[in-house]
């Protein structure tokens, strides 16, 4: 087993505790807290992680979150099957995973995490972490994030749950994109999927509102899950290998 460099001071020890309600057998999840103010000039070099040109031009916060996410991803890959690599940034800005791997990276508000699995077990993985919106901001952003039908359903939600609903909808659609884009190679946006329902146990039901491929067409439904993770909303969309083309 390869030994990885010591973690930089800007990142806390990696954690493997799975915070979501439903396990994903065969997957590896690792997370860390990161502090941009503790990022040192040589942290990338000492961590044996190349800083892409686009990240070199970024502010300390972006550099720290990129480093933290890649540290989680590299360690998760090593734990999964001994692969020791750092996902590069693709032309679409998404991580480039080894051909036999499904994976996703997320970071928000001082926390980063990576989820990986073999494609033979999970053909698509999407994960997203979002700071919980305030009620006022959630109401303001609802028209940008929610479809008309979702906004109609929001009207029946208690006022104290609106912030969670809008944040959850944003997050789970981000996770959906991360899980499906590598499979369909077609971009889609908030208006192209809807949350049909969600439960306090963490279960979410989604439906596509556009055709993405012969297998992923308008009306296709799939499950997601979420939790409140240290004051943030964490969501996952996981597509099992061998999932039939019709819901």
């Amino acid at each position: 087993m390869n030994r990885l460099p010591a973690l930089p001071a800007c990142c806390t020890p990696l954690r493997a505790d799975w915070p979501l309600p439903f396990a994903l057998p065969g997957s590896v999840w690792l997370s860390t807290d990161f502090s941009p103010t503790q990022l040192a000039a040589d942290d990338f070099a000492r961590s044996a992680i190349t800083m892409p040109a686009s990240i070199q031009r970024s502010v300390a916060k972006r550099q720290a979150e990129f480093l933290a996410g890649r540290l989680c991803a590299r360690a998760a890959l090593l734990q999964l099957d001994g692969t020791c690599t750092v996902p590069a940034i693709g032309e679409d800005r998404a991580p480039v995973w080894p051909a036999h791997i499904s994976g996703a990276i997320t970071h928000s508000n001082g926390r980063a995490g990576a989820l990986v699995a073999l494609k033979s077990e999970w053909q698509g993985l999407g994960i997203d972490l979002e700071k919980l919106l305030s009620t006022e901001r959630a109401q303001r952003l609802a028209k940008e994030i929610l479809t008309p039908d979702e906004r109609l359903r929001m009207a029946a939600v208690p006022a104290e749950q609106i912030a969670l609903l809008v944040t959850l909808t944003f997050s789970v659609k981000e996770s959906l994109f991360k899980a499906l884009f590598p499979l369909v190679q077609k971009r889609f946006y908030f208006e192209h999927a809807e949350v049909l329902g969600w439960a306090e146990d963490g279960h979410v039901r989604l439906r596509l509102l556009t055709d993405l491929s012969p297998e992923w067409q308008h009306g296709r439904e799939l499950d997601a899950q979420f939790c409140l993770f240290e004051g943030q909303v964490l969501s996952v969309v996981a597509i099992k290998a061998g999932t039939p083309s019709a819901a």
Side-chain angles (χ1 to χ4, degrees), residues 35-132:
S35 173
T37 60
Q38 292 186 274
L39 179 70
D42 62 348
D43 275 348
F44 276 80
R46 289 166 62 95
S47 300
I49 291 180
T50 301
M51 188 190 302
S54 61
I55 302 300
Q56 293 176 27
R57 297 189 294 268
S58 299
V59 297
K61 174 183 177 294
R62 176 65 183 126
Q63 292 178 355
E65 68 187 18
F66 179 89
L67 178 61
R70 259 50 184 192
L71 288 169
C72 290
R74 180 175 64 185
L77 288 169
L78 190 62
Q79 184 176 324
L80 178 68
D81 72 342
T83 297
C84 190
T85 189
V86 178
I89 298 180
E91 292 183 3
D92 56 6
R93 297 180 61 190
V96 179
W97 300 97
H100 68 296
I101 296 291
S102 292
I105 299 172
T106 189
H107 37 69
S108 172
N109 203 42
R111 187 148 199 89
L115 178 66
V116 299
L118 299 177
K119 280 186 177 175
S120 58
E121 302 238 4
W122 298 95
Q123 62 174 309
L125 290 176
I127 190 160
D128 184 71
L129 185 64
E130 298 290 339
K131 183 179 179 181
L132 190 63

Side-chain angles (χ1 to χ4, degrees), residues 157-212:
V157 170
E160 63 272 15
Q161 289 189 342
I162 287 177
L164 174 59
L165 171 64
V166 177
T167 310
L168 166 63
T169 303
F170 181 97
S171 182
V172 78
K173 289 183 181 182
E174 287 286 324
S175 290
L176 178 67
F177 180 84
K178 291 180 182 180
L180 279 185
F181 180 75
L183 302 180
V184 301
Q185 292 296 304
K186 183 176 180 180
R187 302 195 74 83
F188 59 99
Y189 303 94
F190 290 130
E191 67 267 25
H192 296 142
E194 65 176 339
V195 173
L196 296 174
W198 59 282
E200 292 185 5
D201 69 355
H203 177 256
V204 185
R205 189 69 174 170
L206 290 162
R207 178 164 59 201
L208 290 179
L209 300 178
T210 188
D211 293 337
L212 298 176

Side-chain angles (χ1 to χ4, degrees), residues 19-30:
L20 287 142
F22 311 113
L24 299 181
S27 69
V28 176
W29 154 260
L30 291 174

